[in-house]
Amino acid sequence: MAKNIQSLERAAAMLRLLAGGERRLGLSDIASSLDLAKGTAHGILRTLQAEGFVEQDPASGRYQLGAELLRLGNSYLDVHELRARALVWTDDLARSSGESVHLGVLHQHGVLIVHHVFRPDDSRQVLEVGAMQPLHSTALGKVLVAFDPVAHTEALEVDRREFTPRTVTDLTEFESLLDHTRARGWAADVEETWDGVAAVAAPIHDRRRMPVGAVAITGAVERVCDGQELRSELVAAVRDCARAVSRDLGAGRF
């Protein structure tokens, strides 16, 4: 069996480190976190910087991910049929709802955000493409778990962490919630993952009528909810968007 190339493994670990946490790290922090000598870490960083995968802030000397990774990531996303089919519909959904829209797929026991449309106002927002969300507490995750058997199995295998007092972690209660999600065709997250944040999501199906992703509206509780309930017009809007993308993927009418 062929051995892995150690320098590539270290470079990959370095990129993953820079992708999480503080996002900008100094040489000492990187070397210490990866248990590398400073000279070794610096050599890998220099190579990654030369290729555009890492950038160094001239003022602080700290390192962050480079623009070349974004270019490669966008190339991957552009060939992802789900994202390509959803672009127009998610833009319309953000514009009509006035809230952020996320497109997610099952990935490594979580939900990978493959597209994010900002809330159409002038507020400062952070692009969440590439971010991971939990399966058991988010609207995107729960709707995938409800309709995708693979996601369901993965959600039962992972630790269902309690993010807020409203997070459902008990297995029996969680399965009951999934039954309710299947019956109505959409999932909710009202402060189950983040305090003050609510979301509603619906599943997207392909031509085989298999769930391939989900779309969600996310925003502040006071805007997305009417009292303790999600606003009915937002639920209808996200379901219409999911059906439209599904039709474009060949699923027909749902």
Side-chain angles (χ1 to χ4, degrees):
M1 183 176 177
K3 293 183 178 180
N4 292 342
I5 299 174
Q6 188 181 57
S7 59
L8 291 179
E9 288 182 330
R10 289 172 171 175
M14 204 168 281
L15 293 173
R16 291 191 186 98
L17 179 66
L18 291 171
E22 298 179 27
R23 302 298 173 94
R24 282 188 180 181
L25 295 171
L27 174 60
S28 297
D29 298 323
I30 294 170
S32 175
S33 296
L34 299 179
D35 197 23
L36 296 173
K38 276 190 178 180
T40 302
H42 189 235
I44 296 171
L45 284 167
R46 272 206 324 265
T47 303
L48 291 172
Q49 187 176 1
E51 297 297 328
F53 296 135
V54 163
E55 295 174 356
Q56 186 178 29
D57 179 59
S60 66
R62 296 166 79 85
Y63 294 90
Q64 64 184 23
L65 295 180
E68 181 64 13
L69 281 176
L70 178 62
R71 187 188 70 80
L72 292 177
N74 280 336
S75 295
Y76 166 75
L77 292 174
D78 284 341
V79 301
H80 195 297
E81 186 182 8
L82 171 62
R83 180 178 184 269
R85 297 286 187 180
L87 290 177
V88 172
W89 297 111
T90 50
D91 281 349
D92 286 347
L93 182 59
R95 188 164 46 250
S96 64
S97 67
E99 299 295 342
S100 297
V101 173
H102 296 91
L103 188 70
V105 298
L106 178 66
H107 181 68
Q108 293 182 351
H109 301 283
V111 183
L112 173 66
I113 304 301
V114 296
H115 187 51
H116 174 197
V117 185
F118 282 167
R119 185 172 65 254
D121 60 21
D122 295 328
S123 62
R124 184 180 179 184
Q125 300 172 63
V126 177
L127 185 67
E128 295 183 28
V129 172
M132 293 290 293
Q133 294 187 1
L135 284 172
H136 70 285
S137 63
T138 60
L140 285 170
K142 283 186 283 187
V143 86
L144 286 173
V145 173
F147 289 93
D148 184 347
V150 175
H152 182 262
T153 299
E154 293 191 359
L156 299 187
E157 290 176 348
V158 300
D159 178 37
R160 289 179 296 280
R161 175 184 166 192
E162 184 177 296
F163 295 105
T164 76
R166 297 177 65 106
T167 308
V168 176
T169 59
D170 177 75
L171 179 57
T172 301
E173 190 179 352
F174 184 58
E175 290 285 17
S176 177
L177 181 63
L178 296 178
D179 288 339
H180 186 45
T181 297
R182 293 185 197 99
R184 66 186 181 181
W186 54 274
D189 169 8
V190 181
E191 296 189 287
E192 293 179 50
T193 311
W194 301 281
D195 288 327
V197 177
V200 55
I204 296 170
H205 299 80
D206 64 10
R207 60 184 59 86
R208 300 167 299 161
R209 300 210 167 203
M210 295 294 293
V212 292
V215 61
I217 291 172
T218 304
V221 170
E222 58 268 23
R223 296 194 308 268
V224 177
C225 294
D226 183 5
Q228 290 298 309
E229 299 295 325
L230 287 155
R231 287 167 49 197
S232 59
E233 65 270 26
L234 295 183
V235 173
V238 79
R239 295 190 72 191
D240 285 345
C241 178
R243 281 191 288 258
V245 179
S246 296
R247 285 195 300 269
D248 279 1
L249 289 170
R253 296 187 65 84
F254 269 81

